[in-house]
Amino acid sequence: MSVNGVLVCGEITREGDIDSITLELLSIGRRLAESSGEKLIVALFGDGIGKAAEEVAYYGADMVYKVESPLLEGLNVDIWVEAVDGLYREIQPKILLMGQTATGMDIAPRLAFKLNTPLTTDCTDLNVDAEDGLLLRTKPVYGGNVSGVFKYQEEPQFVTVRTKAFEPVERGSAKCEIIPFNPDIDRSMIKVESIERVKEEVVELDKAEVIVAAGRGIEEPENLEKLQELLDLLKRYFDSGEIGCSRPLVDQGWLSSPHQVGLTGQKVAPQLYIAIGISGASQHVAGISGAKKVVAINKSSEAPIFKIADYGVVGEYEETLPAFKQKLEEIL
Ligand code: FAD
């Protein structure tokens, strides 16, 4: 059977809810389906995903594929690639969309190799070329300094999409058809066994509404405590928040790599990003282009971070932070 269409590979949270990236992919997926005259299909993968599949059917897709198996519990990438590949061969979509998330980044390159098709990662905009129907893939290049638009002939037209690049689609009242799909997978396909982490640190920078980010200017790891106090205050107002950092802090072992923002770290899109003692190198700034408001505190008025900041304080952060915190105490 071949359905074609635009296929969104959705994601589910640890709690079994639909992840926001799924709704963001459905939003751009709908636009692409309309401009290419194709159906919009969303697939969910996992074990015990019935509730999420029922729910996602209300978000504007033409059909939902529920790909369920106990082997899809957790993320064993070998098995997942086989499952997505199996569904791809069933549907043969013209366009295949995944999130630029940990899951998407694990699966997409392997799948692209298997399907022998070019993959464009980290797209921030997508359109269909009216002349030849091919996907126009926009993504930041050269450390985020410019945007590039790419186009390839091969099918499927395969991309991963940056989180928060598109507004999530709203829930509707109409429910589409849900089609169960039995993936042809078995244990022998597992080449790399996963082992449980002894202590797992969950840092959800990509979902944080406020990020207080530390740079080399904080001078000592003990000073992270001061930034954490600021974050705790801001979390009285924002629903979620995290500590972020520039790369030198990870290199020095002050914070773990999931905290790193930038080209080789996380791409973030909070409501508010406060950069403290961060110079604003292009590799760092590449990660914060999606932030709604950027506040920078830096003792050097020449620091490049001020070129992209909405608000800036030139001064020693040790002096600025107490005043900032005191004001927040008064108003929050
Ligand atoms: P610095 O550049 O040393 O800046 C420290 C700042 O703190 C200065 O501006 C200084 O004026 C200020 N300061 C000092 N004391 C105080 C004080 N008391 N109060 C207030 N301000 C003060 N970097 C990333 O962050 N993320 C990435 O993903 C990343 N990827 C990279 C990939 C590649 C291939 C390469 C080559 C580099 C990458 N980097 C990345 C590193 C990047 O180039 C910069 O070196 C790094 O971002 C600098 O970090 P920083 O701003 O904390 O430190």
Side-chain angles (χ1 to χ4, degrees), residues 42-57:
V42 57
L44 292 182
F45 301 79
D47 190 27
I49 56 169
K51 198 179 113 229
E54 289 291 324
E55 177 61 14
V56 83

Side-chain angles (χ1 to χ4, degrees), residues 214-219 245-249 260-266 276-284 297-300 303-304 315-318:
R216 191 148 41 192
I218 70 159
E219 285 163 5
C245 69
S246 62
R247 189 158 106 173
L249 274 69
Q260 184 186 319
V261 174
L263 190 63
T264 45
Q266 299 282 319
I276 301 176
I278 292 180
S279 59
S282 64
Q283 295 89 353
H284 185 82
I297 303 173
N298 197 301
K299 71 177 180 185
S300 163
E316 305 271 349
Y317 84 96
E318 297 90 330

Side-chain angles (χ1 to χ4, degrees), residues 7-13 16-27 30 40-45 49-67 169-179:
L7 175 62
V8 164
C9 287
E11 293 187 29
I12 300 174
T13 64
D17 301 320
I18 304 162
D19 196 294
S20 166
I21 185 67
T22 308
L23 307 182
E24 295 160 29
L25 291 174
L26 279 168
S27 162
R30 171 49 66 202
L40 177 61
I41 305 159
V42 57
L44 292 182
F45 301 79
I49 56 169
K51 198 179 113 229
E54 289 291 324
E55 177 61 14
V56 83
Y58 287 96
Y59 285 85
D62 297 303
M63 55 185 91
V64 175
Y65 274 84
K66 182 173 67 161
V67 187
V169 71
E170 298 279 329
R171 191 183 197 276
S173 52
K175 185 182 177 191
C176 71
E177 183 188 8
I178 301 173
I179 303 165

Side-chain angles (χ1 to χ4, degrees), residues 199 201 214-216 218-224 243 245-260:
K199 182 168 168 266
E201 190 188 4
R216 191 148 41 192
I218 70 159
E219 285 163 5
E220 301 289 339
E222 291 70 34
N223 292 333
L224 284 166
I243 292 287
C245 69
S246 62
R247 189 158 106 173
L249 274 69
V250 174
D251 292 344
Q252 290 172 92
W254 295 3
L255 282 166
S256 61
S257 60
H259 290 276
Q260 184 186 319

Side-chain angles (χ1 to χ4, degrees), residues 199-250:
K199 182 168 168 266
E200 192 170 356
E201 190 188 4
V202 181
V203 185
E204 295 193 308
L205 275 187
D206 57 339
K207 296 196 172 73
E209 287 189 4
V210 57
I211 295 175
V212 176
R216 191 148 41 192
I218 70 159
E219 285 163 5
E220 301 289 339
E222 291 70 34
N223 292 333
L224 284 166
E225 189 63 33
K226 296 178 186 152
L227 276 62
Q228 182 65 50
E229 285 164 14
L230 173 64
L231 179 65
D232 290 342
L233 272 172
L234 289 162
K235 278 163 77 175
R236 291 185 192 171
Y237 179 77
F238 293 99
D239 288 338
S240 56
E242 294 282 3
I243 292 287
C245 69
S246 62
R247 189 158 106 173
L249 274 69
V250 174

